[in-house]
Structures are given as C-alpha cells and as structure tokens.
Amino acid sequence: MVNITEMACYNKRQRQTGPEQVNDHIVAPLHSRVNGWSFPLHSFQLLTLLLYSYLAIVSFGIYIPLLPNEWRRVAYVVIGIVFVHHLITHLIAVTIDPADENILAKKNYDKPMPLFDRSKFKHVIQNQHCYLCEVDVGPKTKHCSTCNKCIADFDHHCNWLNNCVGSRNYWFFFNAVVSATVGILLLILMMLYVFIQYFVDPAQLRTSPQFESVRGNATWLVFLPLAPVETTAVAILALATLSVVLGSASFLLVGHLLAFHLYLLSKKMNTYEYMTQHRSKQHTIHQELNSETTSDQTCRTEPLQVTLYYYPPPPLSVFLLCITS
C-alpha cells in the first residue's frame, strides 16, 4: 500500500515539473509566471505568511517581555536577527525570477506560450532546446508546467513560495529553511520556559517595571513596554500551549526538509535528480518483480524476499513536496 501511494505521488510530481512529459490533464497557464508574486497566489504561500506573523506577534509582544531582565535583551537581539533574516531571504526567494538565462534575456512574458506539438517533438526539451520557450537552455534546465517556463538548474516547484527553486534562488530558499528551523526552535524553548516558570516561580516573569502597578493582584500584562494590555494567566498559558503545538509541528516539517537538503548537498544532488533516480530504481524493481512472478508462479514468497532490496523510501519532506504541489 505504501509503495502504491509513493508511486502515485511521484507520478503527480513528474506531471508538474518534468520537462520530458506534458500531461493532458494539467492546464498550464496561458502566460509564463514571473515569480512567486504572480497571480494566482497559492494558499500555502498565504498560510506561511500568516504563521510567520502570528509567531512574531506572540513572541515579541507577549513572551519575550516576560523573560527575566538578563535574558530579555538577548532574546530580542538573537530572535530578532533570526526573524529578520528569515523574512528577507524568504521574500527574496519569492521575488527572484528563477528562469533560465536565455528566458530572462527574452523578457517576453506577455506573449502567450505556444502549445506543445507531440506530432513534431517527442520531448519538451530536446538537445538542450525548449520547444515551448523557443530558446536554447542549460543542461540542468527543466520546464516547469506550473510556471510555464524553463527554470535554471531546476530543483523543485515550491508552493510555500509559490515559485520555482533553481540556481538563482536556491541559497535564499536554503537560508530561509535554516533560519525558520532555528527560529522556531528558539520560540519553542522560550515558551516552554515561560510555561514551566509560571508554576515554579511566576515572580520571575513579572520583572518588567509595568508590573509594579498590578503587583498586588492576578492581572498579567502583554505587549510590553509600549502598549500594555491587561490579561489573565490562563490566556497566556493557553496561547503558549497553542504556540508550542504549532511550533512543534512546523519544526518537525521544516527541520526534516532542512535535513533532506543537507543530505542532497552532501551527495551533490538536487531534489529533481533525487526523485528521478528514485522513480527509475522503483520502476526497475517493479519490472524485475513482475518478471520473476510471471516466470515462477509457484514461489509465492519470492516478492516478499525481494522487497528487502528496495531503494530507501523518500524522506517525509519529499513526500510533502509531492502532495503539496
């Protein structure tokens, strides 16, 4: 069952990013997309910006001001640098046009993209020439049907950026993933500290001068020091719990994605090459299994023994790329 799911996932990925096949069920946009700000915006892109805004507000408006004096300034500086770094690299990765150099030289995105004629050409890109973009391209350039243009050193199409990731914006994408992983980890640790410290010694969370006016009651303050707002301890703890849950889920996904790209860098591969290699090996193994099953119907346990030699399944991050693209 897992193998069928993975194969379906890769088939879907191939339809969307592979330059070698154009699937009739996918309707490419009439014009090529410029970058991640080209309409329509993707829901995952908006979700990313909403999550970033939420974590920034609760961190700098609620939980950092509750830290003890000796940690508060450090948290403002360190977490602030990480958040700003992530925002800048994320926006740059979205804004950069990752197209092949010859596509950029034409600058002709207003012209409707021609339809691919299978009666004339077998592949979209043949002999490093794209018959849709009508230009010569680099050896690792792929034609993305979502963006409807050739992407230099194509890695993958990222719905979270609403843009393709290629050589022109890969390192900005990578830096955004690194800073997101580090930032979310710091936020989880900070909120866990606030949650635990409330039950151990809540006075350590009320060291800000503004708490002097409410020291004799159970009122808590947020959005210190500029715009103090009164609230309750229950609200702060409930919001901390929600934030830790969201942060933990995000850390699991983004951290796994970071680990996967570190693995790809160590192997000097990109996502597209990894998925193509995996798909090719799976196809070969299935052919061998079918051949062995046909030649020896009496050996019913043989397919189970052969599965021990399966190519390692793709990491969670690749599976997420498939189902979200």
Side-chain angles (χ1 to χ4, degrees), residues 173-193:
F173 160 79
F174 183 78
N175 272 269
V177 174
V178 172
S179 56
T181 305
V182 174
I184 291 172
L185 178 61
L186 292 176
L187 296 187
I188 292 174
L189 294 176
M190 176 184 64
M191 293 177 189
L192 285 176
Y193 170 82

Side-chain angles (χ1 to χ4, degrees), residues 220-257:
W220 286 74
L221 300 175
V222 295
F223 300 110
L224 299 173
L226 300 179
V229 176
E230 294 187 358
T231 186
T232 63
V234 174
I236 290 179
L237 297 178
L239 197 58
T241 302
L242 174 62
S243 301
V244 168
V245 171
L246 290 175
S248 299
S250 302
F251 179 76
L252 174 64
L253 300 179
V254 179
H256 201 288
L257 181 62

Side-chain angles (χ1 to χ4, degrees), residues 99-129:
D100 184 272
E101 290 184 0
N102 289 334
I103 302 294
L104 295 175
K106 290 180 66 175
K107 293 288 186 181
N108 196 16
Y109 290 166
D110 293 332
K111 180 181 177 181
M113 184 66 67
L115 296 176
F116 182 66
D117 189 350
R118 284 187 177 277
S119 64
K120 294 182 179 180
F121 311 106
K122 182 179 179 181
H123 304 297
V124 176
I125 297 179
Q126 242 176 275
N127 298 323
Q128 293 185 217
H129 181 84

Side-chain angles (χ1 to χ4, degrees), residues 66-179:
L66 295 179
L67 295 178
N69 291 327
E70 60 271 19
W71 292 107
R72 192 180 306 146
R73 294 178 182 176
V74 175
Y76 273 125
V77 173
V78 174
I79 297 179
I81 290 175
V82 173
F83 263 64
V84 171
H85 178 80
H86 172 77
L87 181 61
I88 292 175
T89 54
H90 180 94
L91 293 179
I92 292 177
V94 172
T95 305
I96 285 180
D97 183 350
D100 184 272
E101 290 184 0
N102 289 334
I103 302 294
L104 295 175
K106 290 180 66 175
K107 293 288 186 181
N108 196 16
Y109 290 166
D110 293 332
K111 180 181 177 181
M113 184 66 67
L115 296 176
F116 182 66
D117 189 350
R118 284 187 177 277
S119 64
K120 294 182 179 180
F121 311 106
K122 182 179 179 181
H123 304 297
V124 176
I125 297 179
Q126 242 176 275
N127 298 323
Q128 293 185 217
H129 181 84
C130 179
Y131 291 97
L132 279 176
C133 297
E134 299 177 338
V135 296
D136 293 331
V137 296
K140 289 188 176 182
T141 295
K142 308 297 177 186
H143 189 96
C144 173
S145 62
T146 304
C147 294
N148 209 2
K149 64 183 178 183
C150 286
I151 307 300
D153 295 335
F154 178 82
D155 188 90
H156 69 281
H157 182 87
C158 180
N159 283 336
W160 302 99
L161 298 177
N162 196 35
N163 198 15
C164 271
V165 176
S167 58
R168 293 174 56 81
N169 63 347
Y170 178 83
W171 288 109
F172 293 105
F173 160 79
F174 183 78
N175 272 269
V177 174
V178 172
S179 56

